[in-house]
C-alpha cells in the first residue's frame, strides 16, 4: 500500500535504555534541545520591508499571514517537553509482536466477544498517562500543540512488520458534549485520511446501525493496530454542554485509552475544569506530566521585561503600512489595555489596525487608531476584555465560550471595502463632467421624474463639490423624499391614503403615492419605496 503521508522507519538509538530496542520509539525523531524546540515552534510571516510599497490589496493579504504568528514562550517549551515524554513513555511495552502487544489485542477481542463496554472502574477511573492543557480562550493552546506535532511524521511505515504507525491523532470532542458516535466517527475518518484505502469508517460506521459501544470497540482496535502514540482531545469544554451523557463520553474515552495504554492530552478553556474533576487533576500531578494553566500575559514594570514585552516586540516588526512607527510605551499600553494580554486578540487588533490605516490613507499606527479600531470592530470582545481588566472571575465564566474574531473574515471585509472604493461610486466626484448625468440617470431609474432628477443632481453637484457619486445619491434621495409642508388637513386631522384605484398590482402608480402611504402610516418614505420595489441597490441602477 502506497501512502504519501508515510515515511519508512529509520531506527535511531535513544539515550534512555528503556527506549532502546523498541521500534515504535526508535522510529520517532530524536528529542530536541531547547534551542531546536524554539526554532521548531517559531512561526513568523515571510516579511520584507520592500513589501510596504506593494498595492494595498496585496498588503492586506499579507496581514492574513499573522493569524498563525507564534513566538515560543516558556509555557510552549514546557508543553513540548511534556508531550515528547508522554508519547515515548506510552510506547514502552507496546512494541509489535511482543507479549505485551499481544495481550492488549487479546483483551480487545475478549471484550468484543463478551459485549463488554469501556466502563469506569476503580483502577480506570482516571487516565494512567495523560495531562490537560487548560487556559482562557485565545492563548494559542491548539496552535502550540499543532506546531509541536508538525515535527512528527503523520504516518511511519515499518517494513519489517508491515505496520503503519500513527504517532498522534488530533480530534475534537463532540459539540453537543454527549455523542460517543461523533467522537468515534472523527477518529475513524482521521485514520482513513492518513492511510488511504484503509476503509475503517465503511467497516465500522457506514451503515449507521452500529451502537456507540460497538463503535468504540472498533476505534480501540484501529488505534491499537496502528500503534497510536498520543490521542489529542481538543475542545474538552464541549462536554460541559451535555445535558446528560457528558461524563459517559469521558469515561469511555479514558477507559479505552487505559486498556490500550495510549496517552491522552486534553485541551480546553477554563470551562473544561467542570469536566476534568479533582480525581483527574490528582492523577496528573502524580504522573509527573502536569501542565500549568495558560493564563494571559502581563506587562513588566520598573524596567523588568516579561514575556508579554518580548511577544509585542516580535509582533511589532511586522508592519506593512508605508509609515512604520517604533513601539513606544504609549502604544504598548494601548495594545495591552485593549487585549489584556490575550495573544490572539493582540495579533488581530494589530492586523486590523494596519488594515484601517491602509484604507484611510494615514498609513501609520497610532494609539488613537488602535483604540478606535478596538471600539468599533471588536465590540463582541468588549465584555470579556472588561472582565479581564476588572479581574471579575464570575463574569469571565459567562464569556468563556466567546469565539475569537476570525482574522481572515475580518480582513475580507476590508478587501471588499477597498474594491468598492475603486468603483465609480467613490472615484467620480462632483467636479467630474459625468457626475451630474450619472446621478440624474440613477435617480430616474429609481422612479423619480427625469426633469426633477436632473435639477436635484445639478443642485447637489454645485452645493457639494467634493462629494462622491455615492454621497451624491444619498443627498439627492434625501432631498427628493423629504416631505413638503403639509397642506390644510381634513377635519379628521389625518392624511388620507390613496384609493385602491390608484394602484396597479398592489403598488402605487408612482413614487408620490409611496410618499402618501408613508405619511398615512407614519413610517419613513424610504421604507415604503423599498417595499414597493422603487428603491433598488445603487450598483444595479447607476450607469457605472
Amino acid at each position: 500500500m502506497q501512502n504519501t503521508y508515510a515515511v519508512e522507519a529509520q531506527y535511531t538509538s535513544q539515550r534512555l535504555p528503556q527506549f532502546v530496542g523498541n521500534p515504535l520509539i526508535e522510529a520517532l525523531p530524536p528529542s530536541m534541545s531547547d534551542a531546536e524546540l524554539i526554532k521548531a515552534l517559531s512561526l513568523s510571516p515571510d516579511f520584507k520591508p520592500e513589501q510596504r510599497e506593494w498595492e494595498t490589496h496585496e498588503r492586506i493579504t499579507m496581514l492574513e499571514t499573522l493569524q498563525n504568528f507564534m513566538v515560543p514562550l516558556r509555557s510552549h517549551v514546557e508543553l513540548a517537553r511534556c508531550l515528547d515524554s508522554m508519547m515515548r513513555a506510552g510506547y514502552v511495552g507496546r512494541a509489535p509482536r511482543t507479549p505485551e502487544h499481544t495481550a492488549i489485542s487479546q483483551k480487545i477481542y475478549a471484550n468484543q466477544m463478551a459485549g463488554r463496554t469501556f466502563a469506569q472502574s476503580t483502577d480506570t477511573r482516571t487516565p494512567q498517562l495523560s495531562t490537560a492543557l487548560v487556559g482562557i480562550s485565545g492563548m494559542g493552546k491548539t496552535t502550540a500543540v499543532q506546531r509541536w506535532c508538525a515535527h512528527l511524521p503523520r504516518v511511519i511505515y515499518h517494513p519489517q512488520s508491515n505496520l503503519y504507525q500513527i504517532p498522534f491523532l488530533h480530534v475534537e470532542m463532540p459539540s453537543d458534549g454527549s455523542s460517543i458516535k461523533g467522537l468515534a466517527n472523527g477518529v475513524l475518518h482521521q485514520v482513513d485520511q492518513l492511510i488511504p484505502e484503509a476503509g475503517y469508517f465503511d467497516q465500522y460506521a457506514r451503515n449507521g446501525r452500529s451502537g456507540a459501544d460497538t463503535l468504540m470497540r472498533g476505534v480501540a482496535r484501529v488505534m491499537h493496530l496502528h500503534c497510536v502514540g498520543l490521542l489529542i482531545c481538543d475542545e474538552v469544554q464541549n462536554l460541559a454542554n451535555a445535558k446528560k451523557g457528558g461524563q459517559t463520553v469521558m469515561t469511555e474515552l479514558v477507559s479505552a485509552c487505559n486498556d490500550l495504554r495510549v496517552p491522552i492530552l486534553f485541551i480546553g478553556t477554563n470551562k473544561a475544569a467542570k469536566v476534568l474533576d479533582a480525581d483527574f487533576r490528582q492523577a496528573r500531578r502524580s504522573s509527573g506530566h502536569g501542565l500549568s494553566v495558560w493564563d494571559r500575559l502581563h506587562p513588566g514594570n520598573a524596567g523588568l521585561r516579561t514575556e508579554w514585552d518580548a511577544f509585542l516586540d516580535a509582533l511589532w516588526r511586522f508592519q506593512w503600512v508605508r509609515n512604520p512607527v517604533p513601539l513606544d510605551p504609549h502604544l504598548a499600553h494601548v495594545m495591552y489595555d485593549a487585549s489584556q494580554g490575550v495573544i490572539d486578540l493582540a495579533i488581530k487588533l494589530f492586523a486590523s489596525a494596519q488594515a484601517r490605516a491602509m484604507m484611510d490613507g494615514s498609513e501609520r499606527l497610532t494609539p488613537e487608531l488602535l483604540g478606535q479600531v478596538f471600539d468599533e470592530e471588536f465590540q463582541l470582545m468588549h465584555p470579556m476584555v472588561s472582565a479581564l481588566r476588572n479581574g471579575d472571575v464570575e463574569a469571565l465564566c459567562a464569556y468563556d465560550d466567546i469565539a475569537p474574531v476570525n482574522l481572515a473574515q475580518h480582513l475580507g471585509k476590508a478587501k471588499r471595502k477597498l474594491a468598492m472604493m475603486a468603483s465609480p461610486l467613490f472615484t467620480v466626484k462632483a467636479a467630474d463632467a459625468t457626475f451630474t448625468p450619472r446621478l440624474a440617470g440613477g435617480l430616474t431609474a429609481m422612479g423619480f421624474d427625469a426633469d426633477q432628477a436632473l435639477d436635484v443632481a445639478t443642485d447637489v453637484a454645485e452645493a457639494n463639490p467634493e462629494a462622491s457619486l455615492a454621497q451624491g445619491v444619498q443627498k439627492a434621495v434625501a432631498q427628493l423624499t423629504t416631505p413638503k409642508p403639509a397642506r390644510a388637513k381634513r377635519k379628521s386631522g389625518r392624511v388620507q391614503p390613496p384609493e385602491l384605484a390608484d394602484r396597479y398590482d398592489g403598488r402605487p402608480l408612482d413614487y408620490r403615492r409611496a410618499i402618501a402611504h408613508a405619511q398615512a402610516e407614519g413610517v419613513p418614505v424610504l421604507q415604503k419605496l423599498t417595499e414597493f420595489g422603487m428603491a433598488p441597490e445603487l450598483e444595479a441602477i447607476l450607469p457605472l
Side-chain angles (χ1 to χ4, degrees):
M1 183 188 309
Q2 295 298 320
N3 182 357
T4 55
Y5 288 96
V7 296
E8 189 167 311
Q10 297 179 349
Y11 300 142
T12 57
S13 61
Q14 302 291 327
R15 294 179 181 178
L16 299 180
Q18 65 267 36
F19 294 162
V20 177
N22 188 323
L24 299 178
I25 300 175
E26 293 180 334
L28 298 174
S31 299
M32 292 182 281
S33 65
D34 285 351
E36 291 171 331
L37 268 177
I38 290 174
K39 182 178 180 180
L41 294 174
S42 298
L43 186 61
S44 300
D46 183 16
F47 172 78
K48 297 180 178 60
E50 52 266 27
Q51 294 170 351
R52 292 170 178 150
E53 303 304 319
W54 288 3
E55 295 292 333
T56 299
H57 70 276
E58 294 175 319
R59 291 183 291 143
I60 290 179
T61 299
M62 291 302 298
L63 288 174
E64 295 180 18
T65 62
L66 283 171
Q67 59 188 337
N68 293 322
F69 174 75
M70 182 173 170
V71 175
L73 306 175
R74 182 184 66 257
S75 55
H76 297 146
V77 175
E78 177 191 48
L79 170 66
R81 288 274 179 249
C82 174
L83 297 182
D84 184 77
S85 173
M86 283 176 56
M87 177 180 291
R88 297 180 191 278
Y91 273 135
V92 173
R94 290 175 56 199
R97 299 182 180 180
T98 61
E100 295 87 351
H101 187 268
T102 302
I104 295 175
S105 299
Q106 291 174 342
K107 184 175 183 179
I108 294 173
Y109 179 76
N111 288 339
Q112 180 179 352
M113 292 296 99
R116 287 192 290 268
T117 63
F118 293 102
Q120 179 171 290
S121 62
T122 55
D123 60 341
T124 62
R125 182 182 180 100
T126 55
Q128 296 170 353
L129 188 61
S130 60
T131 191
L133 179 57
V134 178
I136 64 173
S137 179
M139 291 305 296
K141 299 182 293 294
T142 299
T143 300
V145 171
Q146 290 173 340
R147 287 297 298 162
W148 178 79
C149 290
H151 89 285
L152 296 170
R154 295 304 309 273
V155 180
I156 302 172
Y157 177 63
H158 297 260
Q160 293 88 343
S161 54
N162 191 28
L163 168 69
Y164 286 89
Q165 172 189 356
I166 299 177
F168 69 92
L169 282 177
H170 191 160
V171 297
E172 285 192 7
M173 299 302 262
S175 58
D176 62 3
S178 59
S179 176
I180 296 176
K181 284 189 174 183
L183 176 62
N185 288 341
V187 173
L188 294 176
H189 271 302
Q190 277 219 28
V191 176
D192 280 349
Q193 291 174 0
L194 294 173
I195 306 177
E197 302 179 10
Y200 291 123
F201 182 79
D202 289 341
Q203 180 179 349
Y204 293 104
R206 174 61 70 184
N207 58 22
R209 298 177 182 175
S210 301
D213 295 336
T214 302
L215 269 178
M216 283 302 295
R217 285 194 293 268
V219 167
R221 181 177 180 276
V222 170
M223 290 177 61
H224 180 62
L225 180 63
H226 293 291
C227 301
V228 173
L230 176 66
L231 182 62
I232 302 168
C233 297
D234 213 337
E235 307 293 346
V236 179
Q237 69 275 4
N238 288 347
L239 298 185
N241 298 331
K243 296 181 180 178
K244 60 178 181 178
Q247 194 59 42
T248 302
V249 175
M250 177 66 77
T251 297
E252 292 236 9
L253 181 64
V254 168
S255 299
C257 287
N258 279 353
D259 286 352
L260 299 174
R261 298 171 67 179
V262 175
I264 312 176
L265 170 68
F266 294 103
I267 307 176
T269 64
N270 291 332
K271 186 177 179 180
K274 299 178 182 178
V275 181
L276 305 173
D277 57 19
D279 290 326
F280 175 77
R281 291 194 297 273
Q282 180 61 38
R284 278 195 298 124
R285 287 192 291 268
S286 62
S287 68
H289 293 284
L291 290 172
S292 57
V293 174
W294 282 26
D295 196 5
R296 57 190 174 128
L297 303 180
H298 297 277
N301 50 52
L304 178 65
R305 288 177 56 80
T306 64
E307 289 189 323
W308 164 260
D309 301 311
F311 161 78
L312 196 57
D313 283 344
L315 178 65
W316 208 258
R317 294 188 292 112
F318 301 100
Q319 295 184 58
W320 279 274
V321 289
R322 301 197 195 283
N323 302 312
V325 297
L327 179 64
D328 59 35
H330 193 185
L331 286 165
H333 172 76
V334 173
M335 282 291 295
Y336 185 80
D337 187 65
S339 68
Q340 287 299 300
V342 177
I343 292 175
D344 182 73
L345 185 54
I347 293 173
K348 289 168 181 175
L349 174 61
F350 180 66
S352 298
Q354 288 193 64
R356 175 73 68 89
M358 295 174 189
M359 298 292 293
D360 65 19
S362 64
E363 296 285 354
R364 182 187 300 272
L365 293 177
T366 64
E368 295 74 20
L369 178 65
L370 289 168
Q372 183 182 11
V373 170
F374 176 74
D375 290 341
E376 297 177 2
E377 301 184 20
F378 291 81
Q379 294 182 8
L380 184 64
M381 305 300 295
H382 287 184
M384 190 181 81
V385 172
S386 179
L388 287 169
R389 187 181 293 123
N390 298 328
D392 192 337
V393 178
E394 294 184 3
L396 277 175
C397 293
Y399 302 121
D400 191 65
D401 288 331
I402 292 180
V405 178
N406 186 300
L407 183 57
Q409 294 179 359
H410 200 62
L411 295 177
K413 294 180 182 179
K415 289 182 179 179
R416 290 191 292 272
K417 184 177 180 181
L418 181 64
M420 179 69 73
M421 292 177 64
S423 75
L425 281 173
F426 294 91
T427 58
V428 174
K429 302 294 184 179
D432 192 293
T434 65
F435 180 89
T436 299
R438 282 175 183 266
L439 180 54
L443 295 172
T444 302
M446 293 175 67
F448 295 106
D449 178 78
D451 293 336
Q452 189 179 17
L454 181 59
D455 292 341
V456 172
T458 302
D459 292 342
V460 169
E462 293 176 352
N464 306 275
E466 298 299 323
S468 65
L469 191 55
Q471 294 170 330
V473 172
Q474 293 177 340
K475 295 179 181 297
V477 171
Q479 183 174 333
L480 287 167
T481 57
T482 300
K484 296 180 180 180
R487 298 180 181 179
K489 297 182 180 180
R490 297 174 184 262
K491 292 182 180 180
S492 64
R494 292 184 177 181
V495 177
Q496 297 298 322
E499 299 296 331
L500 291 177
D502 292 333
R503 290 171 168 265
Y504 177 75
D505 285 342
R507 295 184 180 183
L509 293 180
D510 58 39
Y511 76 91
R512 291 169 294 181
R513 294 303 186 191
I515 296 175
H517 274 273
Q519 292 174 337
E521 298 174 20
V523 299
V525 175
L526 184 57
Q527 177 179 328
K528 299 306 295 183
L529 287 171
T530 304
E531 181 180 332
F532 293 137
M534 303 177 109
E537 294 292 332
L538 297 182
E539 293 83 351
I541 60 175
L542 287 179
L544 303 179

